[in-house]
Amino acid sequence: MIKDQADWFGPFLLSEYNKRAAKKEWSEQRFSVTGQITIEKLSEKQIAYVRHTGTYESLAVEYPYLIQILFQHANKQNLLIEDQNMVLAIYHDNPEFSDEEQFRTSLCISVPDEITIHEDGILGKMTLEGGLYAVGHFSIRPEQFADAWNYMYQEWLTGSGYVPRNSYPFESYINNPNDNPEHISEVDIYVPIEPIHF
């Protein structure tokens, strides 16, 4: 079971939205990737996670190991419930204002509230904050993740009537891109927002 779960999540590439090069290109982007945006009110969710601290380059190297560890420890605690676990990557730091050596990323699964998560020194638990989110629904190739994030923050948010809320953005993975010949990922990008107050 764990091998299948880990293999399912393993092909996902980490988002490149935090890369400094992508940030510098925002002003010149033509937003070749666009997605359907919905506004959703999310309930709080209990999350089991493993944490990485460091650059996104080092995270990319350690990613397969971290995913394997996440699912191994979740399985030991019977946290994996069919059709009830969201698979997430949560970004805790704004790369424009943080030291890249200290970037924190949590690779996570959501766990139903009635199930207890036991922190064991490797697997942690936290609450994913509820509230209002702009949710971008994208069908993208691996190299288009940065474009999807840029579209959310630059193109859509600018004229939306909303501003970012003080919470963490995250990605939710819907499919296994290896199941289709073009390796298309179905991914939802969640940006915490609040209405602009004049």
Side-chain angles (χ1 to χ4, degrees):
M1 178 178 180
I2 286 303
K3 182 178 186 300
D4 292 340
Q5 295 260 5
D7 286 349
W8 183 88
F9 193 51
F12 290 110
L13 297 183
L14 297 167
S15 172
E16 296 186 14
Y17 110 96
N18 285 311
K19 287 190 176 178
R20 286 171 293 180
K23 293 283 186 179
K24 293 176 183 177
E25 293 168 2
W26 272 7
S27 61
E28 301 174 3
Q29 283 261 353
R30 294 190 175 183
F31 305 105
S32 58
V33 171
T34 59
Q36 178 187 359
I37 312 297
T38 58
I39 307 298
E40 300 181 16
K41 190 169 185 179
L42 195 68
S43 300
E44 280 189 352
K45 293 185 183 298
Q46 179 181 217
I47 297 294
Y49 71 91
V50 294
R51 176 72 52 79
H52 177 271
T53 301
T55 67
Y56 292 110
E57 288 78 8
S58 67
L59 175 58
V61 172
E62 297 177 35
Y63 178 77
Y65 170 74
L66 291 171
I67 288 300
Q68 183 179 22
I69 291 297
L70 172 65
F71 280 106
Q72 284 178 345
H73 284 253
N75 188 57
K76 287 179 182 178
Q77 297 188 30
N78 298 314
L79 304 180
L80 302 176
I81 311 298
E82 187 174 359
D83 297 327
Q84 294 190 48
N85 302 113
M86 294 176 67
V87 183
L88 315 170
I90 300 176
Y91 300 97
H92 296 273
D93 298 290
N94 185 327
E96 294 185 341
F97 303 104
S98 304
D99 178 359
E100 66 177 348
E101 298 289 339
Q102 299 301 316
F103 288 168
R104 296 165 298 157
T105 304
S106 296
L107 304 178
C108 322
I109 60 168
S110 64
V111 178
D113 289 339
E114 64 271 17
I115 298 176
T116 300
I117 302 170
H118 299 283
E119 296 187 282
D120 60 10
I122 295 176
L123 193 70
K125 66 178 180 179
M126 64 179 169
T127 299
L128 180 66
E129 184 176 319
L132 208 59
Y133 286 82
V135 185
H137 309 277
F138 296 93
S139 297
I140 51 179
R141 296 186 303 275
E143 68 273 15
Q144 294 178 309
F145 272 77
D147 292 335
W149 278 95
N150 291 347
Y151 175 78
M152 290 287 295
Y153 272 98
Q154 291 296 103
E155 177 69 9
W156 181 83
L157 194 60
T158 299
S160 68
Y162 295 92
V163 292
R165 179 165 48 86
N166 186 23
S167 188
Y168 304 129
F170 63 93
E171 297 168 342
S172 174
Y173 307 107
I174 311 302
N175 75 323
N176 181 350
N178 284 348
D179 287 343
N180 59 80
E182 295 184 355
H183 301 287
I184 298 297
S185 293
E186 301 291 334
V187 60
D188 290 343
I189 294 177
Y190 286 73
V191 175
I193 57 171
E194 60 186 4
I196 295 175
H197 299 292
F198 295 100

